[in-house]
Amino acid sequence: MSIYKDLKMEYRFGGTPERVIYWNVGVFLASIALFYQFRSFVFVFPDWLQLVGYIDTLWLRPWTLVTYAFLHASFLHLLFNMLTLFFAARIFTTFFNGRQFLGLYLLSAIFSGLVFVLTFYFTGSVGNMVGASGAIMAVLLAAATYQPLMSIRLMLIGYVKLWHIAAVLLLLDLMQLHDPNFGGHIAHLSGALFGFLYIRLLQRGVDLSRVMTLFEAGGWQWLKPAKKRPFRQVHTNPKAPGPKAKPAKDRHQQQIDDILDKISKSGYDSLTKEEKEFLFKAGNP
């Protein structure tokens, strides 16, 4: 099976965090072709994609509050962010679902972007921002707020508490607020604040991620009044109640279900080559 087929199956059957990582990597690859200056070895992103630290500009391009979070300034920038996102998302989705992850990710990116623009406005600074760091910090701090005493095993260090990791990252950002890139650290800290507030509100019964239902298929249907169906009286002959027969699954569907169960328990990588091939053919009739 080709690498392309493996990636396609990973994307199709992976969770929401894995898909977000694919989106970030895909945008980065497209950015190389569109915005990378090979002579100077830097990305030059247009102002209609990156986040510009001007309120007047933000009113004209509000979508940049989201698009900036899928752009990265270098391969190392992307690599570090995606490794951290994978680590944080694995913990977060242990306790919460994919919709909550995506809602937190996007809403925290918007919140971090707004704080970035307002900070530059009140300090009179000038600058632009790209990167998913603010949203990633939100996911990590949300998990640490919900389960601060969770033990995490780190290579060469051993077991530490989840709140220890979050505290170290926050401390590093606080120590670098006087850096030339202070806007990026402001975004990290504001993302962390949003993740903390998200969990506190969730514990009080307020799930901010429910706003994501508006973007799901048919989620806007609540705006329309429900159609009333005419009442129909149907005459039927009474029958003695009996056991309901369960429709038997055919062998092909049963094999698909068995493979999907295996993925949910052990992950896609646990499949054999034959199972991957069978599942790919089943998904592409």
Side-chain angles (χ1 to χ4, degrees):
M1 183 178 290
S2 66
I3 296 178
Y4 171 75
K5 290 182 179 180
D6 277 338
L7 292 175
K8 186 176 179 180
M9 294 299 293
E10 286 274 9
Y11 180 84
R12 182 173 181 181
F13 294 101
T16 304
E18 287 78 8
R19 293 181 180 181
V20 171
I21 292 175
Y22 272 93
W23 296 343
N24 276 279
V25 173
V27 171
F28 180 79
L29 294 177
S31 299
I32 294 176
L34 297 174
F35 310 121
Y36 190 70
Q37 302 294 318
F38 289 92
R39 292 183 178 180
S40 52
F41 302 105
V42 294
F43 283 96
V44 179
F45 296 109
D47 288 346
W48 51 269
L49 283 179
Q50 65 181 346
L51 186 62
V52 180
Y54 295 102
I55 291 182
D56 294 340
T57 303
L58 183 61
W59 295 128
L60 298 175
R61 294 186 285 266
W63 60 85
T64 57
L65 287 171
V66 174
T67 56
Y68 86 93
F70 291 90
L71 302 173
H72 289 85
S74 67
F75 174 74
L76 290 179
H77 187 198
L78 174 75
L79 179 63
F80 180 78
N81 273 354
M82 293 304 101
L83 289 176
T84 308
L85 176 60
F86 181 78
F87 166 78
R90 288 290 292 271
I91 300 173
F92 182 85
T93 52
T94 301
F95 310 103
F96 305 101
N97 59 40
R99 173 183 59 77
Q100 291 171 313
F101 166 81
L102 184 60
L104 173 61
Y105 184 89
L106 294 178
L107 291 175
S108 60
I110 294 172
F111 180 80
S112 299
L114 287 173
V115 173
F116 170 83
V117 174
L118 290 174
T119 300
F120 272 48
Y121 174 77
F122 287 113
T123 59
S125 303
V126 179
N128 306 322
M129 182 171 69
V130 295
S133 303
I136 296 170
M137 284 294 292
V139 176
L140 179 61
L141 260 292
T145 302
Y146 188 74
Q147 285 291 335
L149 301 180
M150 183 177 183
S151 294
I152 305 294
R153 187 176 185 273
L154 297 181
M155 188 179 300
L156 303 179
I157 297 177
Y159 287 95
V160 298
K161 302 300 182 184
L162 182 55
W163 77 267
H164 294 158
I165 300 175
V168 169
L169 293 178
L170 288 176
L171 183 60
L172 289 175
D173 278 314
L174 288 171
M175 293 172 59
Q176 299 178 75
L177 282 179
H178 295 292
D179 251 23
N181 183 33
F182 79 97
H185 300 296
I186 289 292
H188 296 176
L189 294 171
S190 56
L193 174 62
F194 189 89
F196 172 80
L197 295 176
Y198 173 83
I199 294 299
R200 286 291 179 254
L201 289 173
L202 189 62
Q203 290 172 334
R204 296 184 180 184
V206 180
D207 187 355
L208 296 177
S209 67
R210 289 185 65 83
V211 71
M212 295 308 300
T213 58
L214 298 178
F215 300 97
E216 295 175 0
W220 50 270
Q221 293 294 334
W222 65 277
L223 295 172
K224 295 183 178 181
K227 295 181 179 179
K228 295 184 178 180
R229 295 184 179 181
F231 174 76
R232 293 183 181 180
Q233 185 175 3
V234 180
H235 298 279
T236 57
N237 296 323
K239 294 183 179 180
K244 294 182 179 180
K246 295 182 179 179
K249 295 182 179 180
D250 59 20
R251 184 176 179 183
H252 183 267
Q253 184 61 44
Q254 184 61 48
Q255 189 172 356
I256 293 177
D257 292 343
D258 292 341
I259 294 176
L260 294 179
D261 288 339
K262 186 175 181 181
I263 292 176
S264 65
K265 293 178 181 178
S266 307
Y268 178 75
D269 292 335
S270 65
L271 299 182
T272 64
K273 181 179 179 181
E274 291 74 17
E275 288 173 332
K276 291 180 181 180
E277 192 72 43
F278 175 82
L279 196 58
F280 182 79
K281 291 179 180 179
N284 296 272

